[in-house]
Amino acid sequence: MSHEHEPLVGLNGLIKCKTCGNILPSVEMTISHVSSAYRARKVLENIASAGKYTIIGFHEDFPVYSKNKNGITEEITASKITIRDYRIIKRLISEGAE
Ligand SMILES: [Zn+2]
């Protein structure tokens, strides 16, 4: 599969791709890019406080925030690509999947 899955979240706790129609156990999306680790942490903090996420751990020195909604676990964190490029990641994990 060479496309980036476009997740569609159902109320049944399943994630389906809009493009290929497959049921996805989990999906990872880049929601934005920032130019420093400091900004990445700020963006994460803002999303977490606005969306009422709780911190569950760390990934590459960045906090991992999580919340549950309709049987889907949403996680947000960041990842370093280069010294001037960090991506903000959102992960959706279906509780309906094994
Ligand atoms: Zn797909």
Side-chain angles (χ1 to χ4, degrees):
M1 209 56 64
S2 60
H3 67 283
E4 187 161 341
H5 290 303
E6 273 193 280
L8 197 68
V9 176
L11 291 174
N12 53 3
L14 295 176
I15 306 163
K16 198 173 177 178
C17 176
K18 264 188 247 179
T19 309
C20 64
N22 286 345
I23 301 292
L24 312 169
S26 67
V27 67
E28 190 174 288
M29 294 162 282
T30 300
I31 54 176
S32 61
H33 286 263
V34 292
S35 58
S36 72
Y38 174 80
R39 282 185 192 174
R41 285 193 194 91
K42 279 287 167 208
V43 169
L44 290 175
E45 269 172 32
N46 290 342
I47 296 172
S49 67
K52 298 189 167 65
Y53 289 77
T54 51
I55 187 163
I56 57 160
F58 286 88
H59 166 79
E60 292 178 19
D61 293 336
F62 293 105
V64 179
Y65 294 101
S66 174
K67 75 171 174 184
N68 270 278
K69 205 171 77 184
N70 300 328
I72 304 281
T73 301
E74 278 187 34
E75 288 179 6
I76 51 161
T77 189
S79 183
K80 182 182 178 178
I81 301 169
T82 68
I83 193 94
R84 300 217 176 261
D85 186 12
Y86 295 78
R87 61 189 189 118
I88 308 297
I89 299 164
K90 185 177 202 172
R91 224 177 268 136
L92 301 174
I93 302 153
S94 172
E95 289 168 13
E98 290 295 288

